[in-house]
Amino acid sequence: MPYSPGSRLPGETASKLGHLAVVESEWVKSLIKDFEDYQSDSSNVNEEMWQIFDPTGHVPLRNIWAVDGSFVAIKTDSHPPKEVSFVKTALLSVDKGRLDLIDKEHPHPLLLQDILKDSAVFHATVFPLKNVKTSLGNNYEAIRHIVRDSMKVDEGGIFYETLKWLAYRKWETNSKFSSPSFECPHCHEIQTIGLTYDANEGKCEKCKNEVFLTDMIGFHLDMDEDSAPDSIASAYMLIMETLMLFTAVRLLWIHSDKSLVTDTLFIKDGPLSLRSQYSKLVPNIRSFLEFAKIKNRPIHIIGQEKSGAFFDHLSSISRHVPPHERGAGLHFAALSHHYVRQEVYRSPDLTNPYGKRTNWGEKLYVKVDPGTFMVLNLTTGEYIDDPEYPTADTLIGLSRILTTIPSLVSSRFEGALFPIELANGIASMSSYPSASILQKFVEHQSK
Ligand SMILES: [Zn+2]
């Protein structure tokens, strides 16, 4: 997803507001001013939770992997309109040595091409959403099969292997774990024991129909028989981003050079979380990160949130927190669950521990210099069920990550990280054929 405009630098699409004559109105000017004053309300800023970071003695991470995705729904003009959704994800490896040579403000296209050469892996698929019929079965069955086939076929099945690695906790020696439990896509009975270790498919405990490992993820819970919502595409994108990132983690984890995985920064665009039914992989992801930490091979993963509640909150307080002048050093604040509830959501809910079910990362605010701030997610391994957690010392690899961040800051967009910008560029739909060509494709395919 693209970076949004900030107050200092423009976003990835130019703001059109400046061209509106109405901005000249005294009333509108006053409205905008009051709105901004409200936005920068400093009464709730807790400066004490911000700490200065001292990079002395910490080694920056050597290699970088970044993942990003996009999706677009295409409708035909026919009646009833046919609708499909294209999803594309990209995983990119960036050589930090080469990245450091690039002018982040005016990157030279040839140098960029050099960085991207042989270093990006794509994944793409298409889902029927409405009024598209296949001769093989209804929409519901079509999507179940497309999910399975897309994951299984692409890149010789390395992403699918990662799904199995996570589902069956394959990092543990002699693992015989079954998959997380899930609901049967046919009779909706919960498969309490999940699929047996390493299985690609199995029979439902109740109705005996065939179920796939990919059904465990839960896409069918968002669909009905004849149509599927857009959320299928966004959920698939998120799952694939997660699987692609963990494919890089997995391959480096089993690499003969044992130090490689720990010397790498893995970056995901967006929060480190999986919502609602898709959160079934969260406990296993947390388990692996804990396992790696205990084995003294910590995994350095960050997510960057470029919009949403945390981004808005940090934007509103950023000018009141250090550093206030250039050269004053990078500052950061780890957000405790209590702080998230009280200050960001302002809706204390004490019945559910914050983020326990859906998040595999915790929130960290970072301010690199007076004009550059960002919302990151860092991991802790197993969830710490305490409102005062996480603290900075429980965030995996915080020091090496913060040592690396300043060299990745892009000067093209506010608070942007260059590897995400690159991944965004290759994952975005602009590198697809234009919408009208996609539309023709859909019409042609569904005749
Ligand atoms: Zn069943």
Side-chain angles (χ1 to χ4, degrees):
M1 298 290 139
Y3 281 99
S4 319
S7 53
R8 204 169 44 89
L9 295 167
E12 287 188 81
T13 52
S15 163
K16 297 208 166 53
L17 199 64
H19 302 294
L20 292 180
V22 73
V23 173
E24 292 307 308
S25 153
E26 284 304 313
W27 286 84
V28 171
K29 274 183 185 164
S30 149
L31 175 71
I32 290 170
K33 184 175 173 296
D34 290 349
F35 183 73
E36 284 179 351
D37 285 349
Y38 169 77
Q39 287 274 309
S40 62
D41 175 12
S42 65
S43 57
N44 288 315
V45 175
N46 178 359
E47 270 211 45
E48 283 165 21
M49 64 185 266
W50 286 79
Q51 306 175 40
I52 189 166
F53 174 67
D54 179 7
T56 315
H58 300 295
V59 186
L61 296 157
R62 270 194 295 142
N63 315 295
I64 294 154
W65 288 83
V67 70
D68 195 12
S70 67
F71 65 95
V72 61
I74 304 287
K75 241 185 209 170
T76 62
D77 296 329
S78 57
H79 295 283
K82 300 174 196 300
E83 195 175 335
V84 300
S85 191
F86 289 84
V87 184
K88 183 177 177 187
T89 48
L91 173 70
L92 173 71
S93 103
V94 185
D95 180 319
K96 190 157 176 308
R98 278 198 277 176
L99 187 65
D100 288 344
L101 297 176
I102 285 197
D103 177 348
K104 308 291 194 305
E105 200 157 354
H106 304 287
H108 193 286
L110 286 179
L111 285 176
L112 269 188
Q113 217 172 54
D114 189 39
I115 277 198
L116 297 176
K117 194 166 136 277
D118 304 324
S119 63
V121 192
F122 302 95
H123 173 78
T125 198
V126 56
F127 293 113
L129 297 184
K130 290 185 187 79
N131 303 315
V132 185
K133 294 219 165 45
T134 86
S135 54
L136 293 172
N138 62 22
N139 210 82
Y140 185 87
E141 287 303 319
I143 289 183
R144 279 187 65 224
H145 282 84
I146 290 171
V147 168
R148 183 195 62 170
D149 294 352
S150 308
M151 286 186 186
K152 249 183 151 168
V153 168
D154 201 19
E155 295 292 328
I158 53 168
F159 308 132
Y160 182 75
E161 196 46 51
T162 301
L163 174 67
K164 291 177 78 173
W165 189 76
L166 287 174
Y168 299 119
R169 304 165 62 106
K170 289 192 173 190
W171 52 89
E172 304 215 18
T173 7
N174 305 322
S175 166
K176 286 288 168 272
F177 285 94
S178 46
S179 78
S181 61
F182 63 101
E183 191 185 273
C184 170
H186 310 286
C187 70
H188 304 288
E189 182 81 4
I190 302 284
Q191 312 292 297
T192 47
I193 50 171
L195 290 177
T196 51
Y197 178 75
D198 210 27
N200 294 320
E201 58 267 311
K203 296 265 184 278
C204 167
E205 292 160 19
K206 190 181 175 202
C207 72
K208 308 295 178 208
N209 280 306
E210 186 175 54
V211 293
F212 307 143
L213 176 63
T214 46
D215 288 329
M216 177 272 295
I217 301 168
F219 293 101
H220 60 281
L221 299 172
D222 268 347
M223 307 184 259
D224 58 36
E225 202 167 285
D226 298 320
S227 66
D230 244 10
S231 61
I232 288 284
S234 63
Y236 184 86
M237 178 188 84
L238 193 57
I239 290 286
M240 277 315 297
E241 286 175 350
T242 309
L243 289 181
M244 287 174 93
L245 195 68
F246 274 93
T247 297
V249 172
R250 178 174 68 84
L251 295 176
L252 294 179
W253 178 256
I254 58 177
H255 198 279
S256 55
D257 180 352
K258 297 271 183 214
S259 66
L260 214 49
V261 73
T262 295
D263 278 340
T264 303
L265 179 61
F266 301 92
I267 308 179
K268 183 186 166 297
D269 184 18
L272 303 180
S273 65
L274 292 167
R275 65 179 169 81
S276 56
Q277 75 260 32
Y278 303 105
S279 67
K280 284 193 287 282
L281 286 172
V282 168
N284 288 13
I285 290 175
R286 283 185 165 280
S287 246
F288 168 69
L289 296 170
E290 181 77 23
F291 182 83
K293 181 174 78 177
I294 291 168
K295 290 278 178 196
N296 228 354
R297 298 177 67 195
I299 313 290
H300 299 95
I301 303 187
I302 60 171
Q304 188 186 15
E305 300 189 28
K306 300 179 303 197
S307 60
F310 292 92
F311 184 80
D312 292 345
H313 180 254
L314 178 57
S315 305
S316 76
I317 63 165
S318 66
R319 75 172 75 163
H320 304 291
V321 301
H324 296 292
E325 58 282 330
R326 281 201 169 266
L330 180 151
H331 283 65
F332 67 96
L335 309 196
S336 68
H337 301 153
H338 175 77
Y339 183 87
V340 168
R341 286 266 160 80
Q342 287 288 330
E343 301 298 332
V344 183
Y345 288 120
R346 302 195 177 204
S347 57
D349 170 7
L350 301 172
T351 51
N352 287 311
Y354 169 73
K356 185 174 185 181
R357 207 174 60 79
T358 53
N359 294 0
W360 52 279
E362 301 282 357
K363 314 293 177 186
L364 178 80
Y365 287 171
V366 176
K367 194 172 167 191
V368 180
D369 60 50
T372 309
F373 58 85
M374 55 189 78
V375 178
L376 299 184
N377 288 196
L378 264 74
T379 65
T380 58
E382 294 296 358
Y383 185 79
I384 303 165
D385 197 349
D386 182 329
E388 298 312 319
Y389 274 82
T391 50
D393 58 331
T394 55
L395 298 172
I396 294 174
L398 177 69
S399 299
R400 290 194 73 184
I401 290 170
L402 291 182
T403 306
T404 313
I405 291 287
S407 66
L408 304 181
V409 172
S410 155
S411 41
R412 290 175 69 212
F413 307 109
E414 240 175 71
L417 294 174
F418 204 59
I420 293 192
E421 216 179 286
L422 288 175
N424 180 237
I426 52 175
S428 77
M429 288 295 165
S430 58
S431 43
Y432 266 115
S434 76
S436 66
I437 292 173
L438 286 178
Q439 200 170 27
K440 276 183 192 138
F441 166 83
V442 174
E443 279 163 6
H444 181 74
Q445 292 287 306
S446 53
K447 258 176 199 157

